[in-house]
Amino acid sequence: MNTLVLTAHGSKDPRSATNARAVGASLKRMRPDLDVRVAFCEQNAPNLIDVLAGLPDSRRAVVAPLLLASAYHARVDIPKQITRAGAHGVRQAGALGEDDRLVTVLRERLAEVDISPLDPDLGVVVVAIGSSNTAVNARTAQVAAKVAAGTRWTGATIAFATRPEPSVADAASQLRRRGARRLVIAPWFLAPGIITDRVWTYARDNGIPMAPPLGAHPLVAATVLDRYDQALIDHAAA
């Protein structure tokens, strides 16, 4: 049996690990013939190194990052832990990225807070984690244009809850200058946690509604499986 090791970053906030395990449960339901294991880079158990060390055959395993961006944890942290585990032959799938299925989920989350795609006075602030890699940030910024495609909104723009600019406040001001009378915050996050709570506090204090994170939506699991399948294809073609 092949193994998919769903690997999340890990967080002090238990909601993050709960979400990762919920995605793992969805994967098991969707692929009952697949050995699905959940692991974390840090903060939560089990750690990725421990999970890999316990595999009967790492050559039949794919580490699938439960990460939206191909930044530090996907490029450096996870490969380093694979090496430390001595998991010879294990493959690593790509990060989830700006997949159209995830943009569909983001639109659904906006609909949950009564946001209409036909509202011409609306500005949407898509809030994500920032990276020190400018190319990664540029790819993440594409989400704003994707989620706004086909709508009548005043506009949508990216903001970063960590570094770099623009901040959530800067993005909100930018949309108001463009004519938005109303704003909504759309978190480009997989799970609630410490950072999303900070954004929610800003939203509450400024009277701005905020949609839920993507969560353990079936399309999140479907995207993970797509990355897993692609890793197998790439390995077979190598």
Side-chain angles (χ1 to χ4, degrees):
M1 179 180 286
N2 288 340
T3 301
L4 186 158
V5 183
L6 183 69
T7 306
H9 174 266
S11 171
K12 293 179 181 179
D13 191 310
R15 293 173 295 174
S16 178
T18 297
N19 186 75
R21 294 188 178 100
V23 175
S26 293
L27 294 172
K28 291 178 183 179
R29 289 191 296 270
M30 296 168 74
R31 292 278 182 91
D33 59 336
L34 191 59
D35 176 21
V36 177
R37 307 190 184 199
V38 177
F40 302 90
C41 291
E42 58 184 63
Q43 310 251 28
N44 302 110
N47 181 265
L48 174 59
I49 295 174
D50 296 332
V51 170
L52 292 176
L55 294 179
D57 185 356
S58 61
R59 294 171 298 179
R60 298 179 65 85
V62 173
V63 173
L66 187 59
L67 301 169
L68 290 172
S70 183
Y72 173 81
H73 292 290
R75 293 173 178 267
V76 179
D77 196 12
I78 289 177
K80 186 182 296 184
Q81 294 200 28
I82 291 173
T83 299
R84 287 178 58 194
H88 304 293
V90 71
R91 284 144 280 172
Q92 180 178 333
L96 302 182
E98 304 74 44
D99 194 282
D100 288 344
R101 287 165 290 195
L102 303 184
V103 175
T104 295
V105 178
L106 188 60
R107 290 197 184 106
E108 288 188 18
R109 298 303 185 226
L110 286 168
E112 290 173 16
V113 291
D114 298 323
I115 295 303
S116 169
L118 303 179
D119 185 349
D121 295 322
L122 184 72
V124 179
V125 181
V126 178
V127 184
I129 288 285
S131 170
S132 58
N133 187 317
T134 55
V136 170
N137 293 332
R139 287 194 295 272
T140 300
Q142 295 173 10
V143 175
K146 285 188 172 190
V147 78
T151 72
R152 295 179 60 190
W153 298 336
T154 300
T157 190
I158 196 71
F160 294 108
T162 53
R163 59 184 181 185
E165 301 294 336
S167 67
V168 179
D170 291 338
S173 296
Q174 176 187 340
L175 287 168
R176 288 190 179 101
R177 288 195 299 270
R178 290 166 59 181
R181 295 184 179 183
R182 291 180 293 279
L183 298 175
V184 66
I185 291 176
W188 186 244
F189 285 76
L190 287 165
I194 296 169
I195 297 176
T196 56
D197 282 353
R198 191 164 68 230
V199 177
W200 181 85
T201 298
Y202 169 85
R204 179 201 62 196
D205 292 347
N206 288 273
I208 302 172
M210 177 170 163
L214 304 181
H217 193 285
L219 288 178
V220 173
T223 307
V224 172
L225 287 174
D226 181 76
R227 301 296 180 267
Y228 166 82
D229 290 337
Q230 189 60 52
L232 295 181
I233 293 170
D234 293 344
H235 177 74

